[in-house]
């Protein structure tokens, strides 16, 4: 628009667009400037734009474009696809329209608001000076009025002749001025009320408050402050924390901040948790009209409210990132977390009933088993991590350790301890196992209560003793018991789990079943502390990896090639301009020198005339497994497996397959965990020989009192390491004690 002009008069910028005719179209919101808007309440041009009068502004687009083309004022025409606001009721496009409005003079107090923001702890913290902070820095006066029927009436009475204003501060003041009894503050009860002062008649202005003004008033308005509860309100102000969506950086967060700064010169909240937006699975906004989301009631009934809560709490949405809601994600939480948590309780309850075990108080046990002592120590670490995350309002950092702990409880502790609970003999080891698992479960449900309140309550009611609070939600949060903490043991078990995980991955990668015993495994690390730690758990590692022997080695060069790289972040401050020379020296270090470096923790290299001392943080080591080895690298540890199978190993592998297949069949046919069985096998001589060699082990694991080798008829057909076999089991009448 070549004739368009910009006029700066000290109060704002006024744009004049003659293309719409001779009428100046002003878009501004500054006091003292008359505003002309040639669009009516229905979004149609008024007679002030005679060429398009009566046309809806969007329908006029083509006519305006055609006119601009005819006047040769179009340089380029194209279409850009983008989101556009639509009415959620009628799905018609919305427009921005200039209207008269009331403002709060935010710019006058901007520095006070910025100072108040510095006192708030934001989660995530980047919003404090990022999205929210930038918004405050550029804040403009706040338009607080709306032209609607329903809403809180703005309490301003105006004299239409002189424009004199009176702000009414209470119902009592309005009753005194108008002489009317007021029981309802909605428009239709007070708009007709007028009063006269010095011959001037005052009538209420027609606007109502923006609902966000009311929301921003919440901390005080909910208590009818200052007319009632004045001391209580001021004592409890500001709030310890609030939580809302990222979109409220320009909404509730902002209005709370503006009003509290005006009234009290401080923020309305000390901490704020900002969540992202929950979108539909296709990444679009959830829409009632489009129904692009699963029905909430159906999802809750199908998976439980706890699963939905934990799915969201353990997602990026609590870090102010958006999430595309997935029903499959909720199902995953139910299967991977909720069901295993309940199964832990069922496991404990089942064997406690079998052996008539009952807890005696809530005191911590003092067990002998490494596994018991580890899980109890690990439980204290969980309490510490969850409490730290909660104290800092970092929900993801509080929930993530809880989720990880459940995995280790089910897939490590209980799996490793099953045989101790199965023991028919009343031993101190079995008793300690019960005491330990009970202590862990009663503590875990207290930790879980804020995240998964329903299942936590259900399990608690089953575990609760007479002297305990009647609900888990009335219990105190668990306190760390330093007496059972063992950082060394936790470290040992952490490395052990990493080694076992890597070993199982190697087996899967090379198609060697976990049930197939192997002859040898090598664990290698130049870090002596790590190697000594895992050596303490050698027996556990052998069992988990199902290997007969383990060797521990400091010398990594037999298994991996060490490839050193400089850590630029660490070296930058230390060597400065010598970085390129230092980089070359580090990359040329040989294997023997690196091995010496691991032992001594320091290495001196010559760069020109200078000597540079390197520490462990200055050098990163990449490990490459030698060709032909079945090995894996996890951090500073290398694990290698010898997969050569002897005849004895093959036979034991068959024996373990028998155990697996029979126990699977027991479960499928609904046998109780205590049921003894009669086993019949129709199989090959190889399987029979393997069974006879490992008969005691097999019978103990499957609770078999009798075994026979004969035709099975309708027995279950299975494959035992390439040996076709039929298996049949029936409940045994003979019970061995």
């Amino acid at each position: 628009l070549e004739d368009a002009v910009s006029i700066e008069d000290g109060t704002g910028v006024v744009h004049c667009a003659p293309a719409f005719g001779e009428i100046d179209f002003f878009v501004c919101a500054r006091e003292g400037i008359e505003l002309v808007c040639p669009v009516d309440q229905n979004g149609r041009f008024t007679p002030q734009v005679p060429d398009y009068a009566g046309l809806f502004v969007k329908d006029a687009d083509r006519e305006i474009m055609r006119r601009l083309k005819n006047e040769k004022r179009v340089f380029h025409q194209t279409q850009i696809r983008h989101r556009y606001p639509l009415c959620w009721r009628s799905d018609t496009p919305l427009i921005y329209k200039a209207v008269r409005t009331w403002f709060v003079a935010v710019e006058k107090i901007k520095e006070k608001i910025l100072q108040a923001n510095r006192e708030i702890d934001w989660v995530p913290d980047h919003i404090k000076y990022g999205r929210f902070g930038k918004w405050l820095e550029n804040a403009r006066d706040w338009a607080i009025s709306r032209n609607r029927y329903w809403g809180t009436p703005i309490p301003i009475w105006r004299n239409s002749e002189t424009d004199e204003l009176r702000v009414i501060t209470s119902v009592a003041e309005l009753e005194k001025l108008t002489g009317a009894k007021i029981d309802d503050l909605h428009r239709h009860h007070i708009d007709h009320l007028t009063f006269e002062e010095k011959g001037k008649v005052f009538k209420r202005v027609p606007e109502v408050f923006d609902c966000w003004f009311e929301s921003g008033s919440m901390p005080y308005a909910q208590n009818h402050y200052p007319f009632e509860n004045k001391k209580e309100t001021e004592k409890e102000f500001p709030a310890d924390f609030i939580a809302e969506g990222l979109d409220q950086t320009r909404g509730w967060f902002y209005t709370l901040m503006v009003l509290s700064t005006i009234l009290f010169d401080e923020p309305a909240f000390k901490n704020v948790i900002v969540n992202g937006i929950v979108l539909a699975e296709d990444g679009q906004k959830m829409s009632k009209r489009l129904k692009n989301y699963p029905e909430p009631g159906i999802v809750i009934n199908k998976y439980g409210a706890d699963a939905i809560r934990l799915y969201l709490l353990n997602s990026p949405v609590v870090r102010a990132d958006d999430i595309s809601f997935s029903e499959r994600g909720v199902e995953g939480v139910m299967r991977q977390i909720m069901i295993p948590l309940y199964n832990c309780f069922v496991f404990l309850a089942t064997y406690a009933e079998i052996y008539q075990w009952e807890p005696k108080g809530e005191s911590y046990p003092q067990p002998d088993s490494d596994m018991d002592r580890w899980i109890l120590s690990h439980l204290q670490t969980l309490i510490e991590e969850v409490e730290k995350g909660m104290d800092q309002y970092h929900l993801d950092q509080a929930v993530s350790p809880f989720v990880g702990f459940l995995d280790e409880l089910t897939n490590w502790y209980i799996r490793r301890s099953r045989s101790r609970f199965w023991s028919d003999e009343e031993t101190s080891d079995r008793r300690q196992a019960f005491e330990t698992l009970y202590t862990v479960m009663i503590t875990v449900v207290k930790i879980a209560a804020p995240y998964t309140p329903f299942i936590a309550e259900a399990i608690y009611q089953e575990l609760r003793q007479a002297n305990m609070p009647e609900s888990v939600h009335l219990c105190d949060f668990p306190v760390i018991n330093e007496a059972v903490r063992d950082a060394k043991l936790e470290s040992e078990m952490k490395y052990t789990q990493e080694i076992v995980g890597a070993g199982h991955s190697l087996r899967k990668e090379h198609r060697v079943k976990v049930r197939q015993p192997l002859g040898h495994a090598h664990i290698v690390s130049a870090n002596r502390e790590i190697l000594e730690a895992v050596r303490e758990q050698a027996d556990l590692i052998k069992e988990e990896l199902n290997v007969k022997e383990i060797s521990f080695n400091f010398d990594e060069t037999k298994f991996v090639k060490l490839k050193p790289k400089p850590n630029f972040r660490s070296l930058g401050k230390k060597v400065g301009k010598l970085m390129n020379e230092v980089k070359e020296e580090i990359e040329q270090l040989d294997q023997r020198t690196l091995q010496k470096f691991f032992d001594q923790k320091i290495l001196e290299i010559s760069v020109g005339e200078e000597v540079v001392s390197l520490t462990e943080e200055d050098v990163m080591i990449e490990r490459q497994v030698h060709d032909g080895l079945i090995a894996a690298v996890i951090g500073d540890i290398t694990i290698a497996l010898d997969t050569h199978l002897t005849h004895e190993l093959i036979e034991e592998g068959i024996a373990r397959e028998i155990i697996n297949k029979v126990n699977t069949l027991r479960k499928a046919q609904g046998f109780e965990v205590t049921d003894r069985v009669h086993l019949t096998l129709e199989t090959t001589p190889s399987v029979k020989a393997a069974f006879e060699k490992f008969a005691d082990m097999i019978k103990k694991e499957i609770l078999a009192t009798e075994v026979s080798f004969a035709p099975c008829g309708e027995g279950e057909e299975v494959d035992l390491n390439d040996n076709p076999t039929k298996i049949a089991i029936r409940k045994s009448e003979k019970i061995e004690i």
Side-chain angles (χ1 to χ4, degrees), residues 613-628:
S613 294
L614 301 176
T615 62
E616 287 181 296
E617 65 176 7
D618 298 327
V619 182
M620 299 183 296
I621 304 296
E622 183 180 297
R623 292 168 171 83
Q624 297 176 340
V625 177
H626 292 325
D627 293 339

Side-chain angles (χ1 to χ4, degrees), residues 445-462:
V445 294
K446 292 176 184 177
I447 295 172
Y451 317 129
T452 54
F454 299 106
I455 193 172
E457 179 70 6
I459 295 175
Y460 177 82
Q461 290 303 326
E462 298 295 330

